[in-house]
Amino acid sequence: MTHSTNYTILVVDDDNDILEFLSYNLRKSGFEVITCNSAEQALEEAVDKKPQLILLDIMLPDMDGIELCGELRKTKYGDEFVIAFLTARGEDYSQVAGFEAGADDYIIKPIKPGVLLMRIKGLLRRAGKLSTTGERLKVGNMGIDPEKFIVKLKGHEFQLPKKEFEL
């Protein structure tokens, strides 16, 4: 089931197949997704769109991802970004450099989509960008938790069967 989360993720990778695969899985999970295949484009999009999370590859054509992470942290929104590396580079020194540049997490490819999604949700939750109560959507005085199929209205909580919730 897809649902709107109002959370935007910027994915930066020079491999279009990876961008397509990640976009598909993140959108399927309800995230808004922006993709970039260059550091220059990523800097512009990050400042313009202010995503809640940025997934960076290290190997980019115009600037190394670790350098890009440092540049993102220097922008006026740098402290607000949650930045995670998603890369095949698993060496200790790459991970240390990533964290020193300001990364919040370092995820090594390949990773299963479900595990990546849980890591993303954990990062957003720890950063205070994702509700810990599960109430993900709010319309007036109604709260909706699309993962548990719960609707909260005027202090009452309604657990709905999945099909009824989807309708």
Side-chain angles (χ1 to χ4, degrees), residues 7-126:
Y7 297 108
T8 302
I9 298 177
L10 172 62
V11 183
V12 187
D13 199 302
D14 63 336
D15 185 328
N16 287 329
D17 290 337
I18 290 173
L19 288 175
E20 189 177 317
F21 176 76
L22 291 171
S23 290
Y24 171 79
N25 283 288
L26 292 169
R27 284 190 176 111
K28 189 173 138 189
S29 297
F31 292 100
E32 190 76 30
V33 180
I34 303 165
T35 59
C36 298
N37 55 17
S38 75
E40 183 180 334
Q41 182 187 14
L43 271 169
E44 289 174 19
E45 290 290 339
V47 171
D48 186 42
K49 304 280 179 16
K50 299 172 209 65
Q52 284 73 37
L53 178 80
I54 301 171
L55 288 177
L56 289 180
D57 189 15
I58 287 182
M59 297 171 282
L60 297 170
D62 55 341
M63 180 188 300
D64 154 311
I66 291 171
E67 188 180 342
L68 173 58
C69 181
E71 291 299 314
L72 286 163
R73 289 291 183 215
K74 291 178 190 172
T75 69
K76 64 182 176 178
Y77 306 107
D79 291 340
E80 297 173 29
F81 295 136
V82 175
I83 301 174
F85 281 100
L86 180 60
T87 182
R89 303 280 306 263
E91 312 88 9
D92 290 349
Y93 66 87
S94 293
Q95 293 180 54
V96 169
F99 284 114
E100 285 177 345
D104 297 294
D105 200 359
Y106 195 102
I107 304 164
I108 300 170
K109 297 185 226 176
I111 186 168
K112 294 188 188 275
V115 175
L116 177 61
L117 216 61
M118 291 301 106
R119 297 275 296 261
I120 287 170
K121 288 179 180 181
L123 282 166
L124 292 171
R125 188 174 46 254
R126 281 192 306 277

